[in-house]
Structure formats: C-alpha cells, structure tokens
Amino acid sequence: MTSPRLVAFDLDDTLAPSKTAIDPRMGELLLRLAARVEVAIISGGQLQQFQTQVVQKLPDADAATLARLHLMPTCGTQYYRLTPDGIETVYALSLTDDEKSRALAAVEEEARRLGLWESETWGPILEDRGSQITFSALGQSAPLDAKTAWDPTGEKKNALRDAVAARIPDLEVRSGGSTSVDITHRGIDKAYGMRKLAEQTGIPLDDMLFVGDRLDEHGNDYPVLAMGVTCHAVEGWEDTAAFLDDLIPTL
C-alpha cells in the first residue's frame, strides 16, 4: 500500500502491557502519528480502560491532533472521539437485558463446570460492559505474570469459549485477552470495528493499517487480517514503538 491514511492499534500488549498505562514514549509517538494521519484504537476493553491506559497519559495536544484520535472500545460497538473538553460519544450499541442475563449465566455455569472458576482473583470475574459481557478468569486487575501463567496454550479459554457458544448460539462468544472470553452480538469482532471506522471516517479499508499482537489464526486481531486490511504484527509495545519510529518519518 501507499502511505496509510489511518493507523489502527490493538491496545493490550500492542500499545501497553495488559491493563497497564502506556509508556510516556508511546504517548509521544501516538501524538506524532496523529499529527500526520488518523489514529484509532480498537480493543475488547471498555472505555474506562482506554481512559486510564491511554487518554489520561497522553501529553498535551492541540484540538486538531486530538480530533484525529478515534477510540473504539468493545471491538467498535462503542465509538468515541477526543476533544479539548473531554471524550465525546459518537454511538454506543448495547446488549438487551435478556441477552446480558443469559450470557452471564452461561459463562459462569460453564466456567464452574469446567473447573475454571477461580477462588483467588483480582477484582470481578464477570463484567457488564454494556455492549459486551466479559469473563476474566483471574479478575479484571490480575497481574500480568499470573495471567500469563494461567493458560499459556489458550486451551482453557478455548474450551470455555466453545462450551459457552453452544449455550447461547444467538450471541457471539470470542476468546479475548490472555484470560478472557467476550460475549457480544453476533458478527462483532475487530473486523466489525474496522468496518465501522471506515463508515464513520470515510477512509477505505485499503487505506488503513492495523497493528496488533494477536494476528495468529486464533488471535482476536486475526479477523482484521482475514478481511484483507494491511497488518503489522508485534510482540509488545516496544515492537510497536520501534515500528512507529520507522513509519512516522515516511508519512
């Protein structure tokens, strides 16, 4: 592709370690990038994560640069823009109460049945994110080393995903982060988020570049690669920073 008009990023393990604030270097790189092209962050996480991990850690920037930042929590079922006055909601598409209650029951019951309901956790295991129900095996605030050790092969998470999907076939059940399973309306994944981004910005997918750490076939970034968007794989925020150091001067 020629120079991208928009660069989109996964959040956890791409811009920062899981559930951790971005490094000051990454904040500066994101704003340098946003001075040249549109910048989007698409993640299964909720808005609060985007705020604490990224928005609150960004250096000061002018209104024009901030306007080029697009936030898409819960894989693009919510969409926010940055303004000098704060975060502006463009849209938020929620699950119904019935869908939420069935999803919460299915994931808890199947996790208990499979022996994956842990007693030692850091924060809540189940979370209602409005447009997404999230199961986090060790709780929302579990430390990185504990999360990495819980399911290194992804076997536990994939078994839970399959069991829950069989219970609620009208909803989408996906493997999320290192210890999480996400439940949304059907067809909701990062490819959905990228399509919504193209609709909202008027920028064709062919003019976008996506950067993520889970572009393998079972990874939650893979749907973006599968839809034909140009992708760049990284293994952590340091990789992303090095890539942006090379990319930004070419834009």
Side-chain angles (χ1 to χ4, degrees):
M1 71 184 297
T2 51
S3 282
R5 292 170 57 195
L6 182 149
V7 182
F9 299 89
D10 167 50
L11 177 49
D12 282 345
D13 299 321
T14 297
L15 293 178
S18 181
K19 303 288 191 298
T20 305
I22 55 170
D23 187 88
R25 179 183 169 205
M26 184 56 73
E28 288 180 14
L29 284 166
L30 287 173
L31 290 184
R32 279 177 56 204
L33 184 63
R36 292 164 171 79
V37 296
E38 304 293 320
V39 175
I41 303 173
I42 300 184
S43 166
Q46 61 177 329
L47 180 62
Q48 181 63 41
Q49 272 175 255
F50 282 63
Q51 288 174 299
T52 56
Q53 289 182 251
V54 181
V55 177
Q56 292 168 8
K57 301 298 179 182
L58 289 173
D60 289 338
D62 59 49
T65 302
L66 289 176
R68 284 192 284 271
L69 290 166
H70 308 259
L71 307 180
M72 302 196 95
T74 53
C75 293
T77 54
Q78 299 169 19
Y79 177 40
Y80 304 90
R81 303 292 296 273
L82 289 188
T83 72
D85 298 327
I87 292 175
E88 177 185 276
T89 305
V90 181
Y91 67 73
L93 314 170
S94 286
L95 293 163
T96 66
D97 289 344
D98 171 65
E99 288 166 337
K100 287 178 182 180
S101 62
R102 288 188 294 113
L104 287 164
V107 74
E108 178 169 349
E109 287 164 18
E110 292 305 315
R112 289 184 185 280
R113 184 179 67 79
L114 292 167
L116 303 178
W117 191 267
E118 303 291 342
S119 53
E120 296 286 320
T121 62
W122 292 263
I125 293 175
L126 297 176
E127 193 179 7
D128 176 356
R129 296 179 175 177
S131 52
Q132 177 175 297
I133 297 297
T134 294
F135 165 90
S136 300
L138 300 176
Q140 277 302 309
S141 308
L144 196 53
D145 55 349
K147 294 206 300 190
T148 306
W150 184 75
D151 187 24
T153 63
E155 198 177 338
K156 294 179 183 175
K157 206 171 43 164
N158 290 338
L160 179 60
R161 191 210 74 79
D162 293 346
V164 174
R167 289 270 305 266
I168 44 174
D170 57 315
L171 297 174
E172 188 87 44
V173 186
R174 282 187 331 278
S175 226
S178 52
T179 62
S180 63
V181 168
D182 298 326
I183 302 167
T184 62
H185 285 131
R186 288 199 73 74
I188 306 295
D189 55 20
K190 287 183 184 171
Y192 167 91
M194 293 295 282
R195 281 191 292 271
K196 295 295 281 186
L197 202 49
E199 273 174 35
Q200 293 288 332
T201 61
I203 297 173
L205 292 168
D206 288 348
D207 289 339
M208 295 185 185
L209 169 67
F210 178 85
V211 181
D213 70 302
R214 296 286 312 284
L215 287 158
D216 54 286
E217 197 176 344
H218 297 293
N220 60 1
D221 297 327
Y222 180 73
V224 183
L225 181 66
M227 77 190 298
V229 170
T230 301
C231 292
H232 179 80
V234 295
E235 291 188 359
W237 79 266
E238 298 92 343
D239 272 5
T240 306
F243 174 66
L244 290 178
D245 277 333
D246 291 339
L247 176 70
I248 289 169
T250 72
L251 301 171

